[in-house]
Amino acid sequence: MKLRILGASGAEFPGFSLPAFLVDDVLLLDAGTIGSALMAKEQWKIRDILLTHAHLDHTKGIPFLADNIVITDNDHSVNIYSISPVLRALKQNLLNWKVWPDFTVIPNPENAVLKLQTIWARKSFKLNNYKITAYRVKHTVPAVGYLVEDEAGSSLLYTGDVGPTSKIWQAVNPSVRCAIIEVSFPNSMEYMAILTGHLTPKLLKEELKNMKGLPERILVTHPKPQHRSIIK
């Protein structure tokens, strides 16, 4: 399993891109950054996007990807997977003909550029060569994290945005090769972190105690650029 980090920041500044993690060039975990990181041919390889939640910093790349596709390749479509509240928010608040055209019906509903696919938490499903399982996480809006397992036995856990939570850590065991976990705020801003559904380094340390076993690697994502050095 090859992981390419398109963005891993909790805010957008020069040199800091919003969260998006590309697996094996074809599967995208969240979509805060796409077009500014990938050339056209690389964008066309993306066929599936797993969304953790509907916040703009995790979905911003989707409308621009759709626009790039429709003006160059009408036969290409991208499946967007998430739980129903996330897809509903995406449809109502972004792809609504007011903020952006509804690419779930462009060029036509039967052959749309974007296809919304509803999934359910804790119910695994097969996606090409991957087994995907979503787990509910605590955030300010409905949200999930994902366990991605491939046929070769590699596995990756991605939390998306998460505050102190519980169920997703049940998916972590020594066979999980890598976990991507957010830490947005420094310890001094714990109140703000909990209020907005995020973690600090101290809170992350407490969350790790809930795992059955630590993965080989833990990658910290989503730090606010203004506090990155303190968090590190």
Side-chain angles (χ1 to χ4, degrees), residues 91-107:
K91 180 87 167 179
Q92 292 176 349
N93 301 301
L94 184 57
L95 304 171
N96 59 7
W97 293 107
K98 298 175 182 179
V99 176
W100 202 256
D102 184 1
F103 281 99
T104 66
V105 296
I106 297 174

Side-chain angles (χ1 to χ4, degrees), residues 13-164:
F13 281 95
F16 296 91
S17 298
L18 299 174
F21 301 88
L22 189 60
V23 178
D24 296 331
D25 298 324
V26 296
L27 174 63
L28 194 61
L29 306 177
D30 278 335
T33 298
I34 300 177
S36 62
L38 296 176
M39 301 299 292
K41 290 183 179 180
E42 295 173 314
Q43 293 183 46
W44 307 159
K45 291 181 180 180
I46 298 173
R47 292 291 180 174
D48 302 289
I49 299 174
L50 302 179
L51 281 186
T52 59
H53 64 294
H55 279 163
L56 189 60
D57 58 331
H58 294 253
T59 61
K60 192 186 79 166
I62 292 174
F64 301 106
L65 173 64
D67 189 62
N68 289 343
I69 291 171
V70 79
I71 63 175
T72 57
D73 183 3
N74 287 334
D75 293 328
H76 185 92
S77 62
V78 177
N79 294 300
I80 300 177
Y81 297 84
S82 197
I83 54 176
S84 58
V86 175
L87 298 181
R88 186 164 58 247
L90 189 71
K91 180 87 167 179
Q92 292 176 349
N93 301 301
L94 184 57
L95 304 171
N96 59 7
W97 293 107
K98 298 175 182 179
V99 176
W100 202 256
D102 184 1
F103 281 99
T104 66
V105 296
I106 297 174
N108 59 70
E110 291 72 30
N111 191 35
V113 173
L114 301 178
K115 297 181 179 179
L116 305 184
Q117 309 286 355
T118 302
I119 62 172
W120 290 266
R122 303 181 71 87
K123 185 176 181 179
S124 301
F125 64 99
K126 187 76 172 178
L127 181 57
N128 299 321
N129 297 323
Y130 307 101
K131 176 185 175 184
I132 310 293
T133 310
Y135 292 86
R136 290 272 191 173
V137 298
K138 188 174 182 180
H139 195 41
T140 55
V141 295
V144 293
Y146 290 99
L147 178 66
V148 180
E149 303 169 90
D150 69 11
E151 294 178 338
S154 292
S155 55
L156 167 70
L157 183 82
Y158 174 52
T159 66
D161 286 4
V162 61

Side-chain angles (χ1 to χ4, degrees), residues 181-221:
I181 306 175
E182 75 109 287
V183 175
S184 295
F185 294 100
N187 292 334
S188 62
M189 298 183 71
E190 181 174 308
Y191 172 79
M192 181 61 68
I194 293 176
L195 179 66
T196 57
H198 293 291
L199 294 178
T200 66
K202 179 181 176 182
L203 292 173
L204 172 61
K205 186 176 181 180
E206 292 301 311
E207 295 301 292
L208 296 181
K209 296 177 182 178
N210 296 318
M211 296 182 181
K212 298 176 183 177
L214 294 179
E216 291 183 18
R217 305 175 97 187
I218 296 176
L219 306 182
V220 171
T221 183

